């Protein structure tokens, strides 16, 4: 968890102004993540307006920078934790255990025992062996069955790894849990990440309703539906169509289930647009006549071992913006990271005006699955986080439901 200090800025200072000030000090060796807490607060306001019935449990795996997590804690969200380490990070902020879901269907026994010791009751499962383990080590836990419902429009599929089939397999698991006298309280799914697919949420909510009915026959009156993550977080993509379809599906399939609570596990929704990364060109090379075209390679101080793992491995889009746009004619360009790895390239075949060594490239919408994954392969420094919040947002956070502590 990055403990970067929070800079409180006047309300009329923009993030562009902040970046200008940072660059006045000269180029840094390390990439800089400018984290804008105002953006996180705005995102939360939109979520609450759009999803009045769905409480967000922020997936801390997406970006665990302390200031971001503290902001969400102050705003009163819950948290999705997938490991002992994530649980500890959230509890260390004073979050009550009942605001945490241990959303990891394949838990190490040590983590299960840790959850028990720390009073975290809500957790997911998707298989018989996990139920046996829970029976042996934490039979009082409140269990959420994760079923598989994949979107085919996402760039990060999760269903191949986790989630039982929602048909006979789910029923067999519910029956087995009943035999073990375990306390199943709800269902969850995750359609996958990074698409524009509100339709899959609707489909998964419909399947959930069928499973709620089947569970009742088995003897479980379920009270929780967790609709997972997968909501877009890049500016300017709106979540309105998601809200429209999800709220409608909740209304349609759960209108006679007032006792059912709805939660979600958004990660990238909260983190993506909050971060702009400042990088610069360290080297460049012209490849003449590559397949009949001119191609230029730029080597910058950030790459797949820094902020861009997801761009390199999951085709997550990146958004390069030139700090000082120039009018040179555009050239076909690739952007490489600084390491010696031949896979360390995260932006291919884009048209950019020709850049010089030292030119600054900003990457907007870079807060999700970036800093959390960064490592120091090849001896290059980790990205450095600088946190900013305007005075008025800071004051509001102090007065927020849980209040910010510093
Ligand atoms: C169980 C679970 N919940 C939530 C998330 C967050 O997904 P997203 O960042 O797309 O909202 C993930 C991402 O991997 C996940 O595995």
């Amino acid at each position: 968890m990055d403990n970067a200090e929070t800079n409180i800025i006047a309300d009329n200072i923009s993030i562009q102004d902040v970046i200008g000030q940072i660059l006045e000090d000269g180029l840094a060796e390390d990439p800089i993540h400018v984290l804008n807490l105002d953006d996180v607060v705005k995102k939360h306001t939109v979520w609450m307006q759009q999803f009045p019935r769905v409480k967000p449990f922020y997936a801390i795996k997406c970006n665990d920078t302390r200031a971001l997590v503290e902001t969400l804690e102050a705003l009163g969200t819950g948290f999705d934790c997938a490991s002992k380490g994530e649980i500890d990070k959230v509890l260390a902020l004073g979050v009550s255990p009942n605001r945490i879901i241990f959303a990891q269907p394949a838990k190490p026994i040590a983590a299960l025992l840790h959850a028990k010791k720390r009073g975290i009751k809500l957790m997911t499962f998707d298989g018989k062996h996990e139920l046996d383990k829970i029976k042996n080590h934490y039979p009082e836990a409140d269990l959420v069955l994760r079923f598989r419902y994949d979107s085919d429009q996402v760039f990060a599929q999760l269903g191949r790894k986790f989630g039982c089939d929602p048909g006979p397999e789910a029923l067999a698991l519910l029956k087995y849990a009943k035999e073990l006298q375990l306390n199943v309280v709800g269902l969850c799914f995750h359609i996958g990440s990074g698409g524009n697919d509100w339709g899959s949420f609707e489909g998964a909510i419909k399947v959930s309703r069928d499973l709620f009915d089947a569970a009742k026959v088995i003897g479980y009156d379920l009270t929780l539906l967790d609709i997972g993550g997968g909501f877009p977080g890049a500016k300017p993509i709106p979540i309105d169509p998601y809200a429209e379809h999800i709220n409608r599906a909740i209304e349609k399939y759960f209108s006679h289930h007032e006792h059912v609570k709805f939660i979600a596990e958004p990660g990238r929704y909260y983190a993506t647009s909050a971060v702009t990364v400042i990088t610069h060109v360290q080297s460049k090379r012209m490849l003449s006549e590559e397949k009949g075209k001119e191609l230029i390679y730029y080597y910058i101080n950030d790459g797949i071992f820094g902020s861009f793992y997801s761009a390199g491995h999951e085709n997550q889009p990146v958004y390069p913006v030139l700090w000082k746009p120039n009018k040179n004619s555009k050239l076909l360009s690739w952007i490489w990271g600084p390491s010696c790895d031949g896979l360390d390239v995260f932006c291919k075949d884009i048209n950019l005006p020709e850049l010089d060594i030292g030119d600054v490239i900003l990457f907007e919408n870079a807060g999700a699955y970036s800093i959390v994954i960064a490592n120091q392969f090849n001896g290059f420094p980790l990205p450095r986080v600088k946190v900013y919040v305007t005075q008025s947002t800071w004051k509001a956070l102090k007065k927020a439901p849980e209040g910010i502590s510093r």
Side-chain angles (χ1 to χ4, degrees):
M1 191 178 255
D2 196 296
N3 282 328
E5 185 186 316
T6 299
N7 299 285
I8 300 168
I9 55 176
D11 285 3
N12 60 355
I13 303 280
S14 71
I15 286 299
Q16 284 300 104
D17 298 333
V18 163
I19 292 171
Q21 283 165 13
I22 293 171
L23 288 171
E24 272 172 22
D25 294 337
L27 294 178
E29 188 195 353
D30 40 6
I32 295 176
H33 279 214
V34 179
L35 168 58
N36 177 7
L37 295 184
D38 285 54
D39 194 80
V40 178
V41 174
K42 275 185 202 137
K43 282 284 187 55
H44 186 64
T45 307
V46 171
W47 182 280
M48 298 309 280
Q49 284 162 353
Q50 296 282 349
F51 290 111
R53 278 190 77 180
V54 186
K55 179 169 171 149
F57 277 57
Y58 173 63
I60 183 180
K61 62 176 79 65
C62 177
N63 186 327
D64 67 355
T65 302
R66 189 181 172 101
L68 191 161
V69 181
E70 277 182 338
T71 300
L72 292 173
E73 133 71 6
L75 294 170
T77 71
F79 294 93
D80 150 11
C81 298
S83 65
K84 187 166 171 282
E86 288 184 353
I87 287 173
D88 284 344
K89 279 176 196 168
V90 172
L91 288 176
L93 301 180
V95 173
S96 135
N98 63 16
R99 281 169 67 191
I100 294 176
I101 178 165
F102 192 0
Q104 161 60 284
K107 293 167 277 305
I109 290 172
L112 191 56
L113 292 173
H114 189 68
K116 180 177 181 170
K117 194 164 143 208
R118 305 302 306 266
I120 293 151
K121 278 191 96 179
L122 196 60
M123 59 187 65
T124 62
F125 74 100
D126 66 357
K128 184 175 178 298
H129 296 287
E130 196 69 11
L131 285 176
D132 289 335
K133 203 197 302 170
I134 293 168
K135 173 73 183 171
N136 286 334
H137 300 284
Y138 193 1
E140 313 80 27
D142 289 336
L143 305 183
V144 179
L145 173 63
R146 177 157 166 180
F147 71 86
R148 180 173 184 176
Y149 197 99
D150 294 339
S151 162
D152 55 10
Q153 293 172 40
V154 293
F155 53 71
Q157 290 274 0
L158 300 170
R160 204 163 50 138
K161 184 165 187 184
F162 292 128
C164 70
D165 177 272
E169 193 186 357
L171 299 188
L173 283 171
L174 289 170
K175 283 181 190 152
Y176 188 58
K178 196 72 194 167
E179 260 170 62
L180 296 181
Q181 297 179 310
L182 293 172
N183 189 25
V184 181
V185 298
L187 303 175
C188 70
F189 57 83
H190 193 306
I191 65 153
S193 283
N196 273 321
D197 187 10
W198 38 85
S200 284
F201 279 96
E202 256 182 313
I205 292 169
K206 178 178 186 322
V207 169
S208 304
R209 172 59 208 273
D210 294 342
L211 276 171
F212 265 63
D213 292 344
K216 190 140 196 187
V217 175
I218 294 168
Y220 287 118
D221 194 6
L222 304 181
T223 54
L224 182 80
L225 179 59
D226 173 355
I227 64 172
F231 303 87
K235 234 183 247 161
I237 304 174
I239 56 161
D240 311 32
Y242 287 80
E244 196 187 314
H245 285 73
I246 290 169
N247 292 337
R248 195 170 58 210
I250 289 178
E251 187 55 36
K252 181 166 174 193
Y253 298 111
F254 285 91
S255 55
H256 302 300
H257 291 64
E258 267 83 34
H259 63 299
V260 176
K261 284 194 189 128
F262 298 89
I263 68 171
E265 298 168 0
R268 67 185 68 240
Y269 170 73
Y270 278 107
T272 307
S273 58
V275 174
T276 301
V277 184
I278 308 177
T279 70
H280 65 271
V281 178
Q282 305 193 123
S283 189
K284 68 186 215 183
R285 191 154 68 95
M286 186 74 85
L287 283 80
S288 50
E289 301 305 314
E290 174 88 1
K291 292 186 191 150
K293 294 180 203 155
E294 282 206 319
L295 174 66
I296 188 154
Y297 281 178
Y298 294 106
Y299 304 88
I300 71 165
N301 63 333
D302 203 355
I304 66 164
F305 301 101
S307 309
F308 301 110
Y309 171 89
S310 301
H313 289 87
E314 293 176 342
N315 299 322
Q316 187 170 295
V318 288
Y319 307 87
V321 176
L322 305 187
W323 175 244
K324 284 193 184 151
N326 68 44
K327 292 197 168 56
N328 293 347
S329 57
K330 292 200 170 169
L331 293 173
L332 195 66
S333 312
W334 284 27
I335 304 180
W336 294 82
S339 75
C340 301
D341 188 332
L343 296 176
D344 189 4
V345 58
F346 58 93
C347 212
K348 287 182 183 172
D349 294 334
I350 54 164
N351 287 306
L352 288 177
E354 187 173 357
L355 303 175
D356 286 324
I357 311 288
D359 278 356
V360 169
I361 309 179
L362 307 178
F363 290 89
E364 296 178 330
N365 291 313
Y369 306 102
S370 51
I371 191 86
V372 269
I373 304 179
N375 64 61
Q376 288 189 288
F377 173 62
N378 253 189
F380 292 101
L382 291 173
R384 180 160 35 113
V385 182
K386 284 176 165 269
V387 185
Y388 295 86
V389 62
T390 58
Q391 258 158 7
S392 57
T393 298
W394 185 248
K395 269 194 209 148
L397 280 173
K398 282 179 179 285
K399 288 192 200 139
E402 304 297 328
I404 206 153
S405 51
R406 290 142 309 135

